[in-house]
Amino acid sequence: MIEPIAPIAKKIVKELVKHEDVRIDNYYWLNDRDNEEVIEYLNKENAYYNTLTKHTKGFQEELFTEMKSRIKEDDSSVPYKNNGYWYVTRFETGKEYPIYARHKESLDAPEEIMFNGNVMAEGHDYFKIGGISISPDNNLAIFGVDTVSRRQYILRIKNLNTGEVYSDKIEDTTGGAVWANDNKTIFYTKKDSITLRSDKIYKHKIGTATEEDSLIFHEKDDTYGAAVYKTKSKKYIAIISYSTLTTEIQILNANDPDGKFTIFSPRVRGVEYSISHYEDSFYVLTNKDKALNFKLMKVKEGATFSENWEEFIPHRENVLLEDIDIFKDYYVLSERENGLNTLKIVRWDATDAYYLPFNSETYTCYVGTNPDYDTNIFRYGYNSMTTPSSVIDFNMDTKEKTIKKEQEVLGGEFKKENYTSKRVWATARDGVKVPMSIVYHKDTEINKDTPVLQYAYGSYGSTIDPYFSTIRLSLLDRGFVYVIAHVRGGEYLGRQWYEDGKLLKKKNTFTDFVDCSKFLIENNYTSAEHLYAMGGSAGGLLMGVVVNIAPELYNGVIASVPFVDVITTMLDDSIPLTTGEYDEWGNPNEKEYYEYMKSYSPYDMVVEQEYPNMLVITGLHDSQVQYFEPAKWVAKLREYKKDDNILVFDINMEAGHGGASGRFESLREVTKEYAFILDLEGKIPLSQKK
């Protein structure tokens, strides 16, 4: 049998000069998706991937069937009540897309189907419904549709009484909109069609031409984005301008849609704040006055500038205050301490305050859908790496809880007691303790021959909590250990954990991951021959750095939609989302940041050495990480790597950053990832290697 030959991209020398430093980019030409030669090269990469993994296709189908069989097809969400209607999202057997429905006053009332995603998706390779917003009188709905997967939604308006979809079409939006209280005025956010930055807020009147829509606000600072929302009290519409480090909010009484927005408190660089309205006051969650882990302030309506804010809940060194949810008689605080979520319920009259009890060492709890202000029922969710997700209604008066739904794991084989989860701490090279959440089947023997999949993200303060996954069972039941490394750059251990993993401290994210890997090997959880690493987007950057600085630690690496050409992207302000990223990565127009980025940028740091087996995944229409970053990276890796290990590149020619849109079709992408590492591990039966 003739071995397939990997595609070799042609070289066209491109000099990139900055700060008198010259970088040679031989594969810069791949950044033109309209170039037939580029598409031809990508198709060759797909053909090579398909040829090299052909023997796993039968196994992928088995994995797909296995994963799908655990998921209840005719499933539905727990209904929630809002403004006189009960809302439900449900799925039908054999269908890929959700159906959005409602019942008036009672769940026993006839079902009203608002949107049937399966019908709407017909004829589209990709389909997604954006935010659905119902008018205060319950008669109209605004909804967004994306059929390209670049997160550029077309807004439409539907009459829920007649079923008519109005002719209004508003393009290049974020997919959501907000109703004023007059039932005829909406506010929405438009994106720049090139950079995809959310920068303009418009006002639209039902029945008028969209060309006549009024521009209400233009965020001209290209390091900021803008969004519009409504307070839970329904009294205010708010426009928020946001960057990584700074926020500014404007407010308007929702009863006066033609009025003028007023600044809540002017932006101050480095000060973030969010607002919740209650009675005659606002509650402000902020890091003002160096409150690194945030504190809660209170201010009266009509005099909302920061000099009038009064402390309500002080800053705490060891507790990250993440959010507040407001009810008529109570407020609920979402906090994080020592990596663990907590929910604190407090009566406004201060007669009672308590934390909900959680006993596991590795779990995730979160605030659920609570649109109703005048209620004593608080809905939250809970799961752990061994416990399926539950939706729980908690009576804040009686302290009784009702489990409204526990995620069903079909097939009859899953028992939570068959799995073990725990948290361990690795010591990083600078002495800092880095936590890892671990799960495996109780029958799995832990030793140097145990296969381990280590995952991390580690950017933007985004925390990957220890969560349950029915899909992951396909690995655990085949003897894999799954590890989430809570590296710096997330907020698992509070805001400082994030600060220590960005800008000129970004390398901590990468070395934390490597040091976690070394801990797993040194403590006989696995060995380099059986350790696998995986990350996507900014986590794909992590994978790109890891294979450059510690390739010997891993048998295989999966990099999904990886951000790997850091300097070139961050110097190109025409690329979507670049300018808003300066506070995360730094601005390479400044020499200090340029040199620091260059010292870790995966594409720039590819060297002649042996690399692990690698699967790289992207989408041609990706709006967050452009397809050409991994395309160039793979081409350069093929040129430089000094080994016979596998390097394959799978490009979804229809999808974007989030992959396939269907409920089950997205599983096929996971089966590719799992089949890749299970094949390397020798865990695909010979009978299935077809």
Side-chain angles (χ1 to χ4, degrees):
M1 179 179 175
I2 300 174
E3 285 293 320
I5 300 174
I8 302 297
K10 73 176 183 181
K11 295 182 185 179
I12 301 176
V13 175
K14 172 81 171 179
E15 283 194 359
L16 301 171
V17 182
K18 192 70 178 179
H19 305 298
E20 300 180 347
D21 179 57
V22 180
R23 293 181 300 130
I24 303 298
D25 189 347
N26 291 321
Y27 304 108
Y28 188 88
W29 66 275
L30 286 170
N31 74 348
D32 182 7
R33 70 163 56 81
D34 295 323
N35 183 338
E36 290 184 7
E37 205 170 350
V38 171
I39 299 300
E40 181 183 359
Y41 169 74
L42 296 179
N43 285 330
K44 285 181 180 177
E45 284 286 3
N46 273 340
Y48 179 68
Y49 164 77
N50 287 323
T51 300
L52 224 61
T53 60
K54 183 179 180 181
H55 65 284
T56 72
K57 299 301 182 185
F59 181 63
Q60 287 182 38
E61 280 300 315
E62 178 184 297
L63 280 178
F64 176 78
T65 301
E66 178 180 296
M67 292 173 182
K68 185 178 178 182
S69 70
R70 297 193 194 101
I71 300 171
K72 187 178 181 184
E73 291 199 45
D74 56 338
D75 203 1
S76 62
S77 64
V78 178
Y80 67 87
K81 194 174 186 182
N82 188 23
N83 196 24
Y85 279 82
W86 288 92
Y87 288 89
V88 181
T89 303
R90 62 179 180 83
F91 293 89
E92 293 182 344
T93 301
K95 302 292 179 64
E96 288 283 345
Y97 295 95
I99 295 169
Y100 298 93
R102 66 180 186 173
H103 304 259
K104 188 173 184 179
E105 294 298 344
S106 168
L107 287 169
D108 295 327
E111 179 187 63
E112 301 175 22
I113 293 180
M114 300 184 296
F115 302 98
N116 187 332
N118 302 291
V119 175
M120 297 168 70
E122 290 177 1
H124 299 291
D125 291 322
Y126 179 92
F127 177 82
K128 189 166 186 178
I129 298 178
I132 297 171
S133 182
I134 310 297
S135 61
D137 63 7
N138 293 312
N139 293 327
L140 301 175
I142 313 164
F143 64 102
V145 172
D146 178 9
T147 57
V148 178
S149 188
R150 278 183 70 77
R151 303 186 184 183
Q152 291 170 285
Y153 290 84
I154 298 174
L155 276 182
R156 305 296 305 272
I157 300 167
K158 183 174 183 177
N159 187 312
L160 297 177
N161 296 320
T162 66
E164 177 189 2
V165 177
Y166 294 165
S167 59
D168 314 54
K169 283 187 178 181
I170 307 172
E171 297 185 346
D172 292 328
T173 78
T174 57
V178 173
W179 289 93
N181 290 342
D182 64 355
N183 297 295
K184 63 182 181 182
T185 306
I186 64 171
F187 296 87
Y188 62 89
T189 311
K190 287 202 77 165
K191 291 184 171 185
D192 183 285
S193 59
I194 303 299
T195 67
L196 302 188
R197 183 170 69 93
S198 305
D199 63 344
K200 295 184 178 74
I201 309 297
Y202 282 86
K203 179 172 66 177
H204 175 72
K205 297 280 189 180
I206 304 298
T208 65
T210 55
E211 297 79 21
E212 299 172 4
D213 289 358
S214 305
L215 176 62
I216 300 301
F217 174 68
H218 180 198
E219 178 50 72
K220 294 181 180 179
D221 188 329
D222 62 7
T223 65
Y224 283 74
V228 61
Y229 66 95
K230 200 173 190 177
T231 60
K232 185 175 178 177
S233 67
K234 305 294 192 291
K235 184 174 180 179
Y236 290 98
I237 293 168
I239 293 173
I240 181 169
S241 295
Y242 58 88
S243 72
T244 303
L245 296 176
T246 310
T247 49
E248 178 183 75
I249 294 175
Q250 306 170 56
I251 57 174
L252 173 70
N253 192 304
N255 290 321
D256 183 24
D258 295 325
K260 186 177 181 180
F261 280 85
T262 59
I263 297 290
F264 185 90
S265 189
R267 67 186 69 179
V268 176
R269 180 164 174 79
V271 175
E272 301 171 63
Y273 70 90
S274 60
I275 61 173
S276 298
H277 176 250
Y278 177 71
E279 294 185 342
D280 63 350
S281 299
F282 288 95
Y283 290 80
V284 185
L285 184 65
T286 182
N287 66 345
K288 182 177 178 289
D289 304 321
K290 299 182 179 179
L292 190 64
N293 278 331
F294 289 77
K295 60 183 176 179
L296 195 63
M297 312 285 277
K298 179 181 179 180
V299 67
K300 291 287 187 182
E301 294 175 325
T304 58
F305 278 21
S306 62
E307 55 262 31
N308 300 314
W309 297 355
E310 298 177 355
E311 190 170 87
F312 187 72
I313 296 176
H315 174 258
R316 290 161 290 175
E317 291 291 335
N318 298 318
V319 179
L320 176 65
L321 182 56
E322 294 185 319
D323 205 359
I324 180 173
D325 204 0
I326 284 175
F327 298 86
K328 181 181 177 182
D329 296 325
Y330 296 87
Y331 61 90
V332 179
L333 300 175
S334 297
E335 301 175 348
R336 183 182 295 274
E337 185 172 10
N338 195 31
L340 301 179
N341 310 116
T342 61
L343 296 171
K344 185 178 184 181
I345 297 172
V346 186
R347 281 191 68 96
W348 285 110
D349 62 12
T351 59
D352 201 8
Y354 52 91
Y355 285 93
L356 294 179
F358 302 109
N359 299 319
S360 175
E361 187 184 21
T362 54
Y363 68 87
T364 299
C365 70
Y366 53 90
V367 175
T369 304
N370 292 280
D372 195 356
Y373 163 79
D374 189 5
T375 180
N376 61 354
I377 300 298
F378 167 60
R379 176 168 291 175
Y380 68 95
Y382 174 87
N383 69 85
S384 73
M385 298 182 87
T386 60
T387 307
S389 299
S390 294
V391 176
I392 300 163
D393 278 359
F394 182 80
N395 188 310
M396 294 181 284
D397 290 338
T398 66
K399 301 181 182 177
E400 295 174 318
K401 71 176 184 179
T402 303
I403 298 176
K404 303 298 291 186
K405 181 179 181 178
E406 181 171 320
Q407 177 185 1
E408 292 185 62
V409 183
L410 302 184
E413 297 181 4
F414 172 77
K415 294 180 180 178
K416 64 182 74 175
E417 57 269 22
N418 285 341
Y419 301 87
T420 298
S421 67
K422 60 182 177 179
R423 186 168 61 167
V424 299
W425 301 75
T427 301
R429 58 197 64 185
D430 61 357
V432 171
K433 298 288 187 180
V434 181
M436 290 181 279
S437 296
I438 297 178
V439 64
Y440 52 92
H441 194 285
K442 67 180 179 67
D443 293 338
T444 297
E445 293 186 19
I446 305 299
N447 55 47
K448 62 182 178 60
D449 296 321
T450 306
V452 170
L453 177 58
Q454 181 183 337
Y455 172 85
Y457 184 73
S459 293
Y460 303 104
S462 179
T463 299
I464 308 299
D465 283 310
Y467 65 97
F468 182 80
S469 167
T470 63
I471 296 169
R472 190 193 298 140
L473 296 175
S474 291
L475 280 184
L476 304 185
D477 291 349
R478 289 175 171 83
F480 261 80
V481 175
Y482 186 86
V483 177
I484 300 173
H486 303 291
V487 296
R488 280 173 281 188
E491 280 187 350
Y492 186 80
L493 291 179
R495 182 71 174 195
Q496 190 64 51
W497 203 244
Y498 170 43
E499 298 292 335
D500 288 344
K502 70 174 186 176
L503 297 174
L504 298 175
K505 296 181 179 180
K506 188 64 212 170
K507 289 183 183 179
N508 284 334
T509 302
F510 316 134
T511 55
D512 279 359
F513 190 89
V514 169
D515 292 340
C516 284
S517 299
K518 290 179 177 178
F519 173 90
L520 293 170
I521 292 170
E522 291 166 2
N523 287 273
N524 287 320
Y525 281 89
T526 189
S527 59
E529 291 76 25
H530 300 283
L531 180 57
Y532 302 86
M534 182 167 71
S537 194
L541 162 67
L542 171 58
M543 295 300 101
V545 176
V546 162
V547 297
N548 281 337
I549 66 174
E552 72 283 355
L553 295 180
Y554 309 95
N555 188 37
V557 173
I558 298 171
S560 182
V561 292
F563 172 43
V564 285
D565 190 10
V566 182
I567 297 178
T568 307
T569 291
M570 294 303 298
L571 282 172
D572 187 350
D573 59 14
S574 71
I575 291 178
L577 310 177
T578 290
T579 53
E581 304 279 283
Y582 291 155
D583 288 336
E584 178 71 23
W585 311 103
N587 184 347
N589 290 295
E590 300 175 25
K591 188 175 182 180
E592 181 182 25
Y593 286 109
Y594 175 91
E595 292 178 344
Y596 189 77
M597 285 179 180
K598 185 179 178 182
S599 71
Y600 70 75
S601 176
Y603 184 60
D604 293 286
M605 296 303 291
V606 171
V607 294
E608 291 189 355
Q609 66 177 14
E610 293 187 356
Y611 282 88
N613 297 290
M614 294 174 62
L615 167 62
V616 182
I617 300 168
T618 195
L620 181 64
H621 300 289
D622 197 322
S623 60
Q624 312 302 108
V625 179
Q626 304 301 305
Y627 76 91
F628 48 79
E629 290 200 39
K632 291 164 49 177
W633 183 47
V634 168
K636 191 171 182 180
L637 282 168
R638 291 205 192 287
E639 178 186 356
Y640 278 81
K641 73 192 204 79
K642 298 297 181 184
D643 57 76
D644 295 322
N645 290 329
I646 297 168
L647 172 59
V648 284
F649 186 28
D650 179 37
I651 309 105
N652 187 324
M653 302 300 279
E654 280 82 43
H657 199 64
S661 59
R663 183 187 185 201
F664 296 112
E665 280 307 303
S666 59
L667 293 178
R668 295 195 181 278
E669 299 182 1
V670 182
T671 66
K672 291 178 179 180
E673 297 167 356
Y674 283 13
F676 179 74
I677 58 176
L678 285 164
D679 187 30
L680 290 173
E681 196 57 31
K683 287 185 175 288
I684 299 181
L686 287 174
S687 60
Q688 292 171 327
K689 290 190 175 184
K690 299 177 182 178

